[in-house]
Amino acid sequence: MLAGFRRSAPASQSLCLNLCPCPSSLLSPAPRRDWRRRPRRAPSSDGGGDPAQASDPQADPAAADGGVPGGGEYGRDRAQRGGRHQRLGGQEFILSEDYNKMTSVKNYQAHQSRVTMILFVLELEWVLSTGQDKQFAWHCSESGQRLGGYRTSAVASGLQFDVETRHVFIGDHSGQVTILKLEQENCTLVTTFRGHTGGVTALCWDPVQRVLFSGSSDHSVIMWDIGGRKGTAIELQGHNDKVQALSYAQHTRQLISCGGDGGIVVWNMDVERQETPEWLDSDSCQKCDQPFFWNFKQMWDSKKIGLRQHHCRKCGKAVCGKCSSKRSSIPLMGFEFEVRVCDSCHEAITDEERAPTATFHDSKHNIVHVHFDATRGWLLTSGTDKVIKVRRHLIKKLSVFGLI
């Protein structure tokens, strides 16, 4: 279903995003499909959006009038009455050698409301930030000067940056991932990815393989193969609650995802994974030809009551409940739990194909952030219970996949 998120992209764009030397013909778009009756998520990527939003201060109407919402006469009247609108942002500190003292250096007045994400790029001396005002901004850390901004479609909840190509990845609560190309004082909208049915809750970027991982409140993780010449999107289903944190071990190609269910899932991304198929539309079961409940003509002609439509997760065919009574895990497609498959696909799946490609662990708390230290083999998690846990006992289990 997530196969070929490139297909709805304009022909003038390449989903490689100039991250690899592949020709654009390798990712040529296909005709747009109709997703109106398809219950699954319908990923697409396009260069949509208002190009005017890519410039600053035009991208921020409030900033164009001194940071006062509404601007114009309203802003001047409010200023004359003594009103004040505070701009929020990040703060820079100098940490002492003994880690016992922090000295404030400067403030970055970047947003009109609470900052949601902040990222420091040492190589370029940039400070990237997003806020609840739906603004993305970046500043020069040496001068403190605002270099530019962009208004997103929803409040941002994920932020990653590629230093080599200067592409920034912004995930938001609408489930969209926006990719921008940053210059010194302006940015350009490259494309957007829409593959989640829930909001994006976490992003993780692998600069070596040119792969972006996005976690969502729809309990899934999607791997976007941006620079791999294939333009594929792989779906990973291993959580019973929203995915809230992602970490990636580059040297062994292992993805660590943590969710609100307290689960820690370690995915082996070094295997040859398969894309989930597109869900097919049909007015009758594609196995037994029984009509579905909206197919009134066939129900009348055959004098049969219509059935409910289901889909096989392996082949994507529209089938009835009788023809898809079996369940099976399909790890290579990202389904670590048992899912609905048609009877013929259930017989074709071998025991080797059912071998798990991920390990599951219980963290005993609701994780909101995770970090894996590959040098020491430590996994650090922080949760809503205000507790930071250092997991050493997990290392022996993770060593099965070669994490340490």
Side-chain angles (χ1 to χ4, degrees):
M1 176 59 195
L2 290 173
F5 58 85
R6 63 193 184 280
R7 295 180 182 175
S8 58
S12 59
Q13 294 185 3
S14 169
L15 290 187
C16 283
L17 313 182
N18 297 324
L19 298 183
C20 67
C22 61
S24 59
S25 59
L26 292 176
L27 297 177
S28 57
R32 189 182 297 269
R33 298 189 295 269
D34 182 13
W35 305 96
R36 288 177 295 177
R37 202 171 61 188
R38 188 166 295 118
R40 294 272 288 179
R41 59 182 59 88
S44 64
S45 59
D46 53 66
D50 187 359
Q53 293 179 339
S55 60
D56 185 68
Q58 289 82 0
D60 187 356
D65 199 87
V68 180
E73 298 293 336
Y74 173 84
R76 287 191 289 272
D77 292 343
R78 182 176 179 180
Q80 292 173 0
R81 294 195 303 267
R84 181 181 180 185
H85 185 81
Q86 183 180 8
R87 290 186 66 87
L88 305 177
Q91 191 170 2
E92 182 178 334
F93 297 89
I94 293 179
L95 187 63
S96 63
E97 294 183 359
D98 58 1
Y99 302 101
N100 289 324
K101 183 180 180 181
M102 295 173 60
T103 304
S104 177
V105 177
K106 65 168 71 75
N107 294 328
Y108 298 91
Q109 305 299 329
H111 300 281
Q112 301 286 0
S113 58
R114 185 173 65 88
V115 176
T116 56
M117 302 293 295
I118 191 166
L119 185 65
F120 174 58
V121 183
L122 177 62
E123 293 83 353
L124 301 174
E125 295 291 342
W126 284 356
V127 177
L128 314 179
S129 63
T130 60
Q132 286 190 337
D133 55 359
K134 301 181 183 180
Q135 286 290 329
F136 162 74
W138 74 101
H139 290 71
C140 175
S141 62
E142 294 179 329
S143 63
Q145 179 183 359
R146 179 184 172 98
L147 299 178
Y150 181 86
R151 185 172 180 83
T152 58
S153 59
V155 176
S157 51
L159 183 65
Q160 290 288 293
F161 183 73
D162 182 65
V163 177
E164 183 179 351
T165 62
R166 298 190 180 184
H167 284 89
V168 63
F169 308 91
I170 306 172
D172 59 46
H173 287 299
S174 70
Q176 175 177 290
V177 178
T178 302
I179 302 181
L180 304 174
K181 171 72 172 180
L182 300 189
E183 303 296 342
Q184 187 61 32
E185 295 183 354
N186 61 78
C187 65
T188 305
L189 175 64
V190 178
T191 188
T192 56
F193 295 157
R194 302 182 185 95
H196 290 288
T197 58
V200 174
T201 52
L203 290 179
C204 186
W205 170 248
D206 176 19
V208 178
Q209 301 294 329
R210 304 297 192 210
V211 170
L212 178 70
F213 299 96
S214 61
S216 172
S217 58
D218 61 9
H219 308 179
S220 70
V221 178
I222 297 180
M223 183 192 78
W224 307 93
D225 186 10
I226 296 176
R229 301 195 179 198
K230 297 180 181 180
T232 55
I234 305 298
E235 184 179 5
L236 304 175
Q237 295 282 354
H239 288 276
N240 295 316
D241 202 341
K242 59 182 177 180
V243 180
Q244 298 188 138
L246 296 173
S247 183
Y248 188 70
Q250 296 180 2
H251 61 294
T252 54
R253 298 191 63 185
Q254 305 293 329
L255 176 68
I256 303 172
S257 62
C258 303
D261 56 357
I264 301 176
V265 185
V266 182
W267 304 88
N268 182 10
M269 303 307 299
D270 202 26
V271 298
E272 190 67 25
R273 294 188 176 273
Q274 305 170 14
E275 290 181 292
T276 51
E278 176 186 347
W279 280 16
L280 303 178
D281 285 334
S282 178
D283 292 327
S284 58
C285 177
Q286 294 181 306
K287 293 293 183 180
C288 65
D289 201 35
Q290 291 290 322
F292 293 130
F293 61 85
W294 62 79
N295 190 353
F296 299 107
K297 184 180 184 303
Q298 188 175 350
M299 283 193 295
W300 177 265
D301 294 340
S302 61
K303 301 297 186 294
K304 295 180 179 179
I305 299 177
L307 304 176
R308 182 182 175 184
Q309 183 190 50
H310 299 282
H311 285 89
C312 174
R313 268 54 171 184
K314 183 170 176 60
C315 65
K317 290 184 178 180
V319 292
C320 65
K322 183 179 179 181
C323 296
S324 57
S325 59
K326 304 296 180 61
R327 301 290 185 273
S328 176
S329 60
I330 318 175
L332 294 182
M333 285 187 173
F335 298 111
E336 294 291 335
F337 304 147
E338 291 189 347
V339 292
R340 181 186 296 272
V341 294
C342 64
D343 294 346
S344 57
C345 286
H346 185 271
E347 296 176 358
I349 300 176
T350 63
D351 293 338
E352 290 77 11
E353 293 176 319
R354 292 189 178 94
T357 60
T359 57
F360 298 82
H361 313 275
D362 188 6
S363 66
K364 304 298 183 182
H365 70 157
N366 186 343
I367 299 175
V368 295
H369 183 75
V370 63
H371 174 73
F372 178 70
D373 186 352
T375 59
R376 288 179 289 185
W378 289 3
L379 185 70
L380 287 81
T381 61
S382 61
T384 55
D385 54 2
K386 301 180 181 179
V387 174
I388 298 176
K389 295 185 178 182
V390 181
R391 304 186 176 277
R392 301 176 182 176
H393 67 279
L394 198 61
I395 297 174
K396 293 182 179 179
K397 300 179 182 179
L398 297 183
S399 64
V400 175
F401 284 117
L403 278 176
I404 57 173

